[in-house]
Amino acid sequence: MTAEEINGLLTNLTVFTLAILVGIAVISKVPATLHTPLMSGANSIHGIVLVGAMLIALAATEPISQLVSLIAVAFATMNVVGGYVVTDRMLQMFRKKVVVTKPAADDSEAAS
Amino acid sequence: MTTLEIVEILVRIAWLVGAVAFVIGLGRMNSPATARNGNLVSAGGMTIAVAATAILILARQSSDGGFSAVPWLIIVAGIALGGGLGLYTARAVKMTAMPQLVSLFNAVGGGAAALIAIDDYIRLANAGSHVRIDEHIFIVLDIIIGSITFTGSIIASGKLQGLIAGKPIIVPGGQLVTLALAAVTVVGALFLFATGTPNLATMVLILAAALIFGVTMTLPIGGADMPVVISLLNSFTGTAVAMAGFVINNPVLIIAGALVGASGAILTKLMADAMNRSVLNIMIGGFGGGDDAAGAVEGPGGSVRSIGADDVAIQLAYAQHVIVVPGYGLAVAQAQHAVRELAELLEERGVDVKYAIHPVAGRMPGHMNVLLAEANVPYPQLKEMDDINPEFARCDVALVIGANDVTNPAARRPGSPVSGMPILDVDQAKSIVVIKRSMGKGYAGIDNELYTNEKTGMLFADAKDGLAALTAAVKAL
């Protein structure tokens, strides 16, 4: 490996490591109630693989690569669209309930 | 700078904006008030990243000497197909079936990540050039992790949907199979790293082993442990996407993948902790043929008092404080609307009704909150374990619906498989009613001492039928 290649690898590894630490810091604060929406939300975020699938579709010249990239784009889009919509459906219910019963929520907080 | 170079720079900035939006979006999921907004911020980041990628593709094509329709056909057809399926299923799914859908979305995400490495490897093999060891490592890791998560999540989804038996399925010689698969993968990977030449046959072998491993890993795990497994697989997909980012040298895939990998890992650990089990124990427990703890400690025998719906209705209707303890059985019987109906009826009679939510009630952490919220149960009535436990002593009737191990007082003593597991203090209530189909044991496989408590009456029924009978009986009073 050339020095340039090693530097490129190290840049990527740095980004990877720091992103893991950010993920831990951001996520450990989420209350248990929201864990299912959170899991679903995180699930939509790894749909970012769609960007990669689009880029391999651009480079695909062989029929096999074209087929593989078609499946990859379809899979990734299903992940993105389905993930965000189902998460939004879940969170919508939470929010509506909180707003509607706001006074009761305040009371119980004051009492406890 | 050429136009292409400028576009490349702008696209990288757009990807950075997308990555920041993911972090902020996850951060805003801290509280119910900002969570929905957080999800929208994250979706906005995704839109920016994908739109920027489309512009990048256009720019690269025009600098390469013209527009070619084939990649766009692939992209548009793929997006239409996947987006349509995703949108339809996400809109149509019932909230009780939501965990298996999340698992399915997870499966396709992992599959897409693996396909990126497969495509890259086919190209390298066709070129026949030397493959650097770091390239090889990331490709192999992406294929292994992505494939395991693909088949594993499909099996998990099938189990939750009831297409595959929820009980642990023991593969004969399962541990040998696992060892053989691991050996194939490791030897194959080492061979590729050592030679440095792309070898499609070896890669296909590794791919097949990983796909089978995903199945054998998930099949033996029981239905109650599925949340932990789905969360683990979610973390795997994140990691696979990060590996795909290394393979095609794309920073936004690395950042987003690592974020999800970390979040999934933490969630998995939180869930396992709440069940007082280690993640390893859950995974290997399945391999070993079920939980050895079963039967290790016998609960004290004792007689069980059966009680009829009419008696329970009287108790409930004339109580002041009632705490409902919903569990896995309620989720399975889809009885969340039935329980809300009964609670509203009781409230009309002036009874104070609250819900005690154990951290692992339902099929995923927080799943019970979602189910009850969907059934229009007012959010403030849902109480977390630490808030509700002191209230059991003041409550007249605790109504346990399909919850088992999380109420077992044996957890307070050492020497039981559930020892140390945080439980709801249901046994402190003045009177206890348990709706349960039979005296079957919970996941830990031990007797629940709560059922033999002299304050406890057992109403033997399916959660939905039992609640319907109670509602009718209360109405008749």
Side-chain angles (χ1 to χ4, degrees):
Chain A
M1 285 175 79
T2 64
E4 198 186 336
E5 284 164 353
I6 293 176
N7 274 330
L9 176 63
L10 279 179
T11 308
N12 282 345
L13 280 176
T14 308
V15 169
F16 179 68
T17 313
L18 291 178
I20 287 179
L21 295 177
V22 169
I24 293 171
V26 170
I27 278 131
S28 33
K29 290 184 213 145
V30 177
T33 315
L34 285 171
H35 278 170
T36 293
L38 168 74
M39 167 143 66
S40 184
N43 182 48
S44 353
I45 289 177
H46 62 54
I48 190 69
V49 70
L50 175 57
V51 167
M54 287 166 72
L55 290 174
I56 67 166
L58 169 68
T61 45
E62 304 285 318
I64 176 81
S65 277
Q66 290 170 341
L67 180 67
V68 167
S69 53
L70 173 68
I71 300 174
V73 171
F75 273 7
T77 314
M78 187 172 168
N79 188 173
V80 170
V81 175
Y84 281 114
V85 172
V86 90
T87 310
D88 190 60
R89 269 187 68 193
M90 269 185 254
L91 292 170
Q92 196 178 4
M93 289 179 306
F94 276 103
R95 214 181 69 147
K96 193 174 71 197
K97 243 45 74 180
V98 170
V99 171
V100 167
T101 55
K102 196 77 181 180
D106 290 346
D107 287 348
S108 71
E109 268 163 29
S112 64
Chain B
M1 276 196 284
T2 63
T3 318
L4 178 63
E5 279 168 343
I6 294 172
V7 172
E8 298 256 2
I9 290 169
L10 290 177
V11 165
R12 283 188 79 108
I13 293 173
W15 282 345
L16 181 63
V17 171
V20 170
F22 295 151
V23 175
I24 293 175
L26 273 184
R28 302 211 76 179
M29 287 198 164
N30 269 322
S31 86
T34 55
R36 193 171 178 209
N37 174 276
N39 189 49
L40 292 179
V41 169
S42 163
M46 183 68 72
T47 312
I48 291 172
V50 171
T53 310
I55 291 169
L56 177 66
I57 290 174
L58 268 180
R60 282 191 185 167
Q61 278 189 338
S62 62
S63 92
D64 276 357
F67 180 83
S68 156
V70 178
W72 287 104
L73 271 178
I74 295 172
I75 291 170
V76 170
I79 288 181
L81 198 69
L85 264 177
L87 193 62
Y88 173 74
T89 47
R91 285 242 174 105
V93 70
K94 287 207 172 74
M95 274 295 138
T96 41
M98 186 263 311
Q100 49 265 50
L101 191 65
V102 172
S103 187
L104 205 62
F105 292 152
N106 188 46
V108 290
L115 286 172
I116 286 178
I118 291 170
D119 178 73
D120 197 68
Y121 204 67
I122 292 175
R123 210 167 296 160
L124 286 171
N126 284 344
S129 53
H130 179 81
V131 182
R132 279 206 327 265
I133 185 147
D134 59 313
E135 290 177 315
H136 242 147
I137 290 176
F138 291 124
I139 289 172
V140 166
L141 284 179
D142 188 359
I143 289 182
I144 293 176
I145 304 172
S147 307
I148 291 177
T149 198
F150 180 65
T151 50
S153 301
I154 288 178
I155 297 287
S157 181
K159 281 198 162 209
L160 288 175
Q161 184 67 35
L163 298 175
I164 303 168
K167 284 185 304 187
I169 295 171
I170 309 304
V171 184
Q175 272 165 327
L176 280 178
V177 173
T178 308
L179 280 177
L181 292 171
V184 167
T185 317
V186 171
V187 172
L190 288 178
F191 171 72
L192 289 179
F193 299 159
T195 59
T197 35
N199 184 321
L200 271 185
T202 311
M203 196 55 92
V204 168
L205 210 62
I206 292 176
L207 171 70
L211 287 172
I212 300 171
F213 183 80
V215 176
T216 55
M217 178 181 88
T218 323
L219 265 186
I221 299 170
D225 278 341
M226 270 307 140
V228 184
V229 177
I230 293 182
S231 175
L232 188 70
L233 291 169
N234 191 37
S235 168
F236 277 16
T237 305
T239 314
V241 169
M243 294 301 121
F246 279 101
V247 171
I248 60 169
N249 198 14
N250 185 304
V252 71
L253 260 64
I254 297 178
I255 297 176
L259 257 184
V260 178
S263 83
I266 290 193
L267 256 184
T268 311
K269 189 170 179 321
L270 286 178
M271 282 185 228
D273 284 352
M275 297 165 82
N276 193 33
R277 296 170 54 137
S278 72
V279 176
L280 204 64
N281 175 263
I282 288 171
M283 306 308 290
I284 294 178
F287 287 146
D291 204 335
D292 292 338
V297 177
E298 288 297 326
S303 58
V304 169
R305 186 164 57 95
S306 176
I307 189 169
D310 291 338
D311 293 332
V312 179
I314 291 171
Q315 277 195 40
L316 290 174
Y318 295 101
Q320 278 189 311
H321 301 283
V322 169
I323 297 179
V324 177
V325 183
Y328 183 66
L330 179 125
V332 172
Q334 312 205 348
Q336 67 273 28
H337 291 279
V339 77
R340 194 252 314 153
E341 225 175 288
L342 176 65
E344 280 183 352
L345 204 59
L346 292 174
E347 283 176 322
E348 279 168 26
R349 301 182 68 105
V351 183
D352 167 55
V353 181
K354 292 195 181 87
Y355 298 81
I357 313 289
H358 191 272
V360 292
R363 290 185 146 177
M364 288 185 180
H367 187 205
M368 193 55 69
N369 303 61
V370 174
L371 289 179
L372 293 174
E374 190 214 10
N376 284 323
V377 172
Y379 192 72
Q381 287 187 2
L382 307 180
K383 299 289 181 192
E384 306 260 337
M385 182 170 64
D386 291 338
D387 297 333
I388 195 80
N389 266 345
E391 296 196 30
F392 275 107
R394 290 194 286 119
C395 114
D396 301 303
V397 184
L399 182 61
V400 181
I401 308 164
N404 193 345
D405 292 333
V406 298
T407 65
N408 194 343
R412 297 197 196 105
R413 289 194 316 265
S416 153
V418 291
S419 290
M421 182 167 111
I423 57 162
L424 293 163
D425 296 333
V426 178
D427 59 335
Q428 307 287 320
K430 288 175 196 145
S431 173
I432 303 153
V433 174
V434 179
I435 302 183
K436 203 170 180 312
R437 278 199 297 199
S438 68
M439 281 304 287
K441 289 169 183 170
Y443 186 78
I446 55 167
D447 289 318
N448 190 339
E449 292 170 17
L450 186 71
Y451 302 160
T452 48
N453 189 315
E454 56 185 15
K455 291 188 288 190
T456 305
M458 303 290 292
L459 177 61
F460 290 109
D462 169 79
K464 208 171 186 173
D465 301 341
L467 284 167
L470 281 182
T471 308
V474 171
K475 272 184 187 155
L477 282 175

